[in-house]
Amino acid sequence: MKRKIWAAAVAVAVALSSAAIIPYGGLQNVVAARPSGGNAEVTDTSTDGRTTTNGFRFSITGTEATITGYTGTAKELAIPTKITVTRTDTTPPTVTTPGGVTQRPSQGTTNNNTTSVDYAVVAVADDAFSGNLGIQTVTMAGGTDSTGKVFGIRSVGDRAFFACHDLTTITFASTTTSIGKNALADCVALNSITVSEGNIRYKVVDGALYHYTAGAGTGLYTLEQYPLGNSATEYKVPESVAGTLVEIGEGAFWGSRFLETINLPAMVKTVGESAFSECKKLKKVTLPAGLSSLGAEAFKGCSALEEVTLPDGIKMINNATFQYCEALKKVNMPDTLTLIGNRAFQGCKAMTEFTVPGSVTMIGDQAFAQCENLRQITIPMKTTSIGSGVFTGTRTSILCHNGSQAAIYAGNNGLTTERTYTVAFYTNNTYTTIVSSQEVVEGKDAVPPEVAERDGYKMSWSGNYTSIRQDTRVYQIWKKLFDVTFIDTYNDKKEVVKVEDGGAPVPPDWSMSGYTLSWDDELPTEVVNNLTYHAVWRNNSTGKVIGPDVVKPQKKGTELKKGNFLYKVNSANAQNPSVKLIGLENAEVTNVVIPETVSIGGVRYQVTAISVKALNGNEKVQSLVINKYVKSISAKAFFNCKKLKKVKIKSKSMTKINNKAFANIHEKAVFYTYESQKSKFKAMLKNAGVKKPTIKRL
């Protein structure tokens, strides 16, 4: 019931365009009245020129006003676009006597003149609503009034709504062309950001606020604010923006309570200050290779973050970049790094060891303070400036070069040291261009840097960089590579071995059961050009050679045709290839003589088997000759060949005639075979569907 009364009161206030405060239960619910329409003027009044009736503080410059603060208690704010300041002149009037004397009348007489001046609200000042914990909704309007005049909020200052922890919804005007740094940072409940239609500098994509440099949403983009109230655990920039997103604005993700993974697209060049500060659940962030600037406090307070890789474009780790990242164990840093700023890793409790890149010249104040478990840090010779309190609250040992600034610093601050030597890697033997350098503990090995490959060359280092006991310099040596190609035609193998100029090739370790491998030419002791060698296989039993000119049998299962016969490769062994008969191309034949061998494509195959249903149901065949190499006849091979009455079997190596292979052939069919084979075939034929086989001597 009370809500209905409140809603009715609001409706009356809007209808009357009244600027009066409508209280309910001691709480302001309406702070500025406006006519209907999202881009209509929002009016308010003031009698003192400093605070409006609805609690907005403001300042005046000329005919324009800026909102500087808020003293009210409303949860839903509509920022006024016009403030009418009304003043009443209460000074006594002056009169002139007949004698020409000007004087004021007696008490109780006043001018009582009232004047009203309208001021266009065009801005929200820096810190105007910062830290306000009651505000839940903010609406800023802009547009064109009935006279055609443009009105509305043009700029929102730095930190304008910073840390408004209850703010869930905000709408920016179509006229807003400037939103300051950290304007919405740490608004942890914010889940709805809207930009009114027609804005030429800002837009919302997938809930996040973006700024762009050209009209109608074109040009380069900056991600200004992620909706921190969003409960998603992963954020990936949408494709519609990813190709032109170049910057993550200051405080853009500050305070997210849910994000665990953030992937930044390749075009991003800058990450602003505090961009990911206090993202307590953030475990993984992917920084693009082209990133060149990482702002101060970028990951401050990201207590779940364990590992970060900084791309080559990063030259410095700014102040407090990883401060209080308590789970951080490892930071992969580029050789381009020159500075580690103040408090950069302060409070990183999980870090146990750290290697400062060889290019770093300066370590800032308290850079590793309160890193409670840091036991070892390597500092290069090139680091000549080390700030105060760098290792306060740690028990670390400094690995450093004798006489280095790090060694001096350790001595002055009561820290233990361990001797290191500098190992430098150069591009050439003049030692003019360094690839990288590192401090290596005495007796330990250096780790060579990764070097881009050169097509056709192999790189090695000029000297030894293991068991280091002195400062060491090595340089790159590039040797021409030649291709030595080994080919096994028979087994369809090919391997290309890269051999340095003047080196000896190592052939592949190929083997084949029952054969010895050699090559068609003698292998050289020194390679000076590209070479090719072919495998030669010699049978250990017969001495027969399979050379590079061998015509290889077709793969097992390949179907072949020769004359009227159709075959399928049964064995692709080059020494003894075989096929099985699978049918006839032309079934209109009366006499079938299965050949012993068949030559196809330069390869001679033995015919060793007759396939399932090879001549099944043939109505013409009357006589059949089966050659001496056939070892098996499959099921129903000649089933239902009702005119087949003469079968000669010349094979002595037949091992099986499968089910119904000769069932339903001519009832007077006669089988011919060798005397020694008659009893064997009699049993086989019975199993093959011939009830009372008639067998005669071949």
Side-chain angles (χ1 to χ4, degrees):
M1 182 63 182
K2 290 181 179 180
R3 291 191 177 185
K4 292 181 179 179
I5 295 173
W6 171 73
V10 172
V12 171
V14 171
L16 296 175
S17 297
S18 170
I21 302 172
I22 301 177
Y24 173 69
L27 176 68
Q28 285 179 237
N29 292 290
V30 180
V31 298
R34 55 181 171 179
S36 61
N39 284 326
E41 284 252 47
V42 181
T43 62
D44 206 343
T45 62
S46 173
T47 57
D48 61 5
R50 296 185 300 275
T51 304
T52 71
T53 303
N54 295 304
F56 292 100
R57 293 198 303 270
F58 64 97
S59 63
I60 294 172
T61 303
T63 61
E64 296 179 339
T66 297
I67 301 298
T68 59
Y70 179 63
T71 60
T73 57
K75 296 181 179 180
E76 300 179 1
L77 301 187
I79 308 296
T81 58
K82 182 173 70 174
I83 297 175
T84 301
V85 178
T86 302
R87 291 186 177 89
T88 302
D89 186 0
T90 59
T91 60
T94 58
V95 296
T96 303
T97 65
V101 178
T102 300
Q103 62 182 27
R104 297 187 183 279
S106 60
Q107 290 183 348
T109 304
T110 60
N111 281 315
N112 288 323
N113 293 325
T114 299
T115 58
S116 296
V117 180
D118 291 338
Y119 296 93
V121 180
V122 297
V124 175
D126 294 350
D127 300 294
F129 298 91
S130 179
N132 190 304
L133 299 183
I135 301 172
Q136 295 180 356
T137 301
V138 173
T139 303
M140 288 170 275
T144 305
D145 64 16
S146 59
T147 66
K149 182 180 178 181
V150 175
F151 68 89
I153 306 298
R154 297 200 294 266
S155 67
V156 176
D158 295 347
R159 303 171 304 282
F161 299 94
F162 176 77
C164 290
H165 290 169
D166 294 327
L167 181 63
T168 62
T169 304
I170 190 165
T171 300
F172 291 98
S174 61
T175 51
T176 302
T177 56
S178 174
I179 299 175
K181 298 175 181 178
N182 295 307
L184 296 171
D186 202 28
C187 292
V188 293
L190 185 63
N191 56 32
S192 176
I193 305 172
T194 302
V195 175
S196 294
E197 187 176 354
N199 193 296
I200 62 170
R201 284 292 175 267
Y202 293 93
K203 68 188 299 185
V204 174
V205 182
D206 281 4
L209 177 66
Y210 291 86
H211 171 267
Y212 49 90
T213 57
T218 62
L220 302 178
Y221 280 68
T222 297
L223 196 163
E224 295 287 357
Q225 185 61 53
Y226 174 78
L228 302 179
N230 190 323
S231 61
T233 59
E234 180 176 1
Y235 184 71
K236 184 177 181 180
V237 176
E239 292 184 4
S240 60
V241 178
T244 53
L245 181 66
V246 296
E247 182 175 356
I248 306 299
E250 293 190 14
F253 292 86
W254 183 338
S256 170
R257 296 172 294 166
F258 304 101
L259 282 175
E260 298 178 8
T261 303
I262 296 175
N263 298 298
L264 299 184
M267 288 293 289
V268 174
K269 300 293 187 293
T270 302
V271 171
E273 294 185 7
S274 305
F276 304 103
S277 286
E278 305 299 330
C279 292
K280 296 297 185 182
K281 291 189 176 181
L282 183 62
K283 296 179 181 178
K284 181 180 179 182
V285 60
T286 302
L287 301 176
L291 188 70
S292 59
S293 177
L294 188 60
E297 302 186 7
F299 295 98
K300 179 181 178 181
C302 292
S303 53
L305 191 63
E306 295 185 1
E307 182 174 350
V308 174
T309 297
L310 302 181
D312 289 342
I314 299 297
K315 301 294 190 295
M316 61 181 66
I317 298 177
N318 280 303
N319 296 344
T321 297
F322 298 101
Q323 188 180 32
Y324 304 130
C325 291
E326 297 181 350
L328 187 64
K329 296 178 181 178
K330 186 177 182 181
V331 179
N332 303 303
M333 295 166 290
D335 291 332
T336 55
L337 201 68
T338 61
L339 179 146
I340 296 176
N342 299 337
R343 306 176 307 283
F345 296 98
Q346 183 180 15
C348 293
K349 297 180 179 180
M351 193 177 291
T352 59
E353 61 181 52
F354 193 93
T355 299
V356 178
S359 52
V360 171
T361 60
M362 179 178 178
I363 299 175
D365 298 344
Q366 301 180 43
F368 297 92
Q370 286 79 51
C371 292
E372 299 173 358
N373 294 298
L374 184 64
R375 296 292 178 264
Q376 176 179 296
I377 184 168
T378 303
I379 302 179
M381 189 74 176
K382 199 169 184 177
T383 302
T384 55
S385 175
I386 303 176
S388 63
V390 172
F391 301 106
T392 300
T394 71
R395 292 178 292 171
T396 190
S397 176
I398 298 179
L399 280 59
C400 58
H401 200 283
N402 261 12
S404 67
Q405 185 62 38
I408 296 170
Y409 184 90
N412 292 339
N413 289 273
L415 299 169
T416 60
T417 60
E418 192 170 344
R419 179 180 296 180
T420 66
Y421 295 101
T422 302
V423 179
F425 297 86
Y426 290 84
T427 59
N428 51 53
N429 58 7
T430 61
Y431 302 109
T432 53
T433 305
I434 191 169
V435 179
S436 72
S437 67
Q438 56 191 266
E439 291 297 310
V440 180
V441 177
E442 187 173 25
K444 301 294 184 180
D445 300 341
V447 179
E450 292 186 4
V451 177
E453 295 182 355
R454 292 184 190 173
D455 190 32
Y457 287 84
K458 181 180 181 181
M459 193 278 291
S460 61
W461 297 102
S462 63
N464 183 33
Y465 44 82
T466 60
S467 301
I468 296 299
R469 299 193 180 279
Q470 62 182 9
D471 290 343
T472 303
R473 297 189 303 179
V474 294
Y475 58 87
Q476 296 173 0
I477 297 175
W478 293 92
K479 285 191 175 182
K480 177 70 177 174
L481 290 177
F482 294 106
D483 290 343
V484 179
T485 304
F486 295 92
I487 299 173
D488 180 0
T489 304
Y490 175 64
N491 290 301
D492 275 341
K493 290 183 179 180
K494 179 179 179 181
E495 186 171 316
V496 178
V497 177
K498 300 286 185 181
V499 182
E500 293 180 15
D501 189 2
V506 178
D509 186 21
W510 291 337
S511 63
M512 187 166 65
S513 180
Y515 288 83
T516 299
L517 174 64
S518 61
W519 303 99
D520 63 344
D521 201 352
E522 185 178 352
L523 300 183
T525 57
E526 294 184 2
V527 174
V528 294
N529 58 297
N530 295 330
L531 299 169
T532 300
Y533 295 92
H534 294 85
V536 176
W537 296 99
R538 183 178 298 277
N539 189 298
N540 295 335
S541 299
T542 65
K544 190 174 180 179
V545 170
I546 303 175
D549 56 346
V550 65
V551 179
K552 189 177 179 182
Q554 295 291 321
K555 292 181 180 180
K556 185 176 181 178
T558 303
E559 293 188 5
L560 305 173
K561 174 182 174 296
K562 181 71 173 183
N564 192 35
F565 293 101
L566 302 176
Y567 303 99
K568 183 178 286 188
V569 177
N570 209 26
S571 170
N573 188 312
Q575 292 295 307
N576 190 26
S578 66
V579 295
K580 58 184 176 182
L581 176 69
I582 62 173
L584 302 174
E585 184 175 43
N586 178 15
E588 301 292 318
V589 292
T590 56
N591 301 311
V592 175
V593 179
I594 299 174
E596 295 178 356
T597 62
V598 58
S599 182
I600 303 173
V603 177
R604 182 166 292 280
Y605 300 88
Q606 285 186 351
V607 182
T608 60
I610 300 172
S611 183
V612 174
K613 298 182 179 181
L615 272 71
N616 180 37
N618 189 294
E619 297 178 353
K620 297 292 183 180
V621 65
Q622 297 177 18
S623 67
L624 171 67
V625 178
I626 299 174
N627 77 67
K628 65 180 181 180
Y629 294 123
V630 173
K631 297 178 180 180
S632 65
I633 302 174
S634 296
K636 294 187 177 181
F638 304 98
F639 180 76
N640 231 16
C641 292
K642 294 184 176 181
K643 291 186 178 182
L644 179 59
K645 60 187 299 185
K646 184 177 182 180
V647 180
K648 291 183 179 181
I649 304 176
K650 295 183 176 182
S651 174
K652 294 182 179 181
S653 57
M654 185 85 70
T655 58
K656 59 183 175 180
I657 302 176
N658 285 323
N659 187 36
K660 296 184 179 181
F662 288 97
N664 288 355
I665 64 173
H666 197 283
E667 58 183 8
K668 294 183 178 181
V670 178
F671 294 86
Y672 296 85
T673 187
Y674 302 107
E675 185 68 30
S676 61
Q677 302 294 309
K678 287 171 65 177
S679 60
K680 179 180 77 172
F681 280 114
K682 186 174 184 179
M684 285 186 178
L685 289 170
K686 284 183 177 180
N687 291 333
V690 183
K691 294 180 179 180
K692 295 181 179 181
T694 301
I695 302 177
K696 295 184 178 181
R697 188 178 69 179
L698 186 62

